[in-house]
Amino acid sequence: QYLAAKPKRCERCGYDRHVEVCHRRALTSFPLDTPVRVVNHLSNLIGLCPNCHWELDHGLLVLEGSPDQVTFTAGFPTAVNVT
């Protein structure tokens, strides 16, 4: 449903060879009894390339704004070891 409604490109960097449908709000943040239709609602989905998806999942990328006007900001891990 998402891919039929949205362009097939990463909404962050524009890469169009491979797009993954990602959840804007983490699955673990929903109560266990939340219906799947709520978790997978179009407003909770975004298309990202594998690299941007990984950055989102690991806190290096933060989504802000509404589903229609998303803004990306750089996040940083809580601890960075520099040697």
Side-chain angles (χ1 to χ4, degrees):
Q1 185 181 17
Y2 175 86
L3 292 174
K6 300 283 186 170
K8 293 178 179 72
R9 63 175 176 75
C10 178
E11 293 199 34
R12 179 184 183 220
C13 71
Y15 184 74
D16 64 357
R17 303 281 184 210
H18 178 81
V19 176
E20 300 173 349
V21 179
C22 316
H23 292 91
R24 295 170 54 99
R25 180 176 163 196
L27 297 176
T28 56
S29 70
F30 288 94
L32 291 177
D33 61 348
T34 303
V36 173
R37 71 179 179 279
V38 172
V39 174
N40 290 334
H41 191 270
L42 281 176
S43 64
N44 191 42
L45 301 176
I46 190 166
L48 297 174
C49 71
N51 289 336
C52 291
H53 189 181
W54 186 91
E55 288 182 7
L56 177 68
D57 286 349
H58 291 87
L60 300 174
L61 180 64
V62 178
L63 295 173
E64 296 175 351
S66 68
D68 296 333
Q69 191 104 19
V70 67
T71 302
F72 296 94
T73 58
F76 297 95
T78 54
V80 177
N81 292 327
V82 179
T83 55

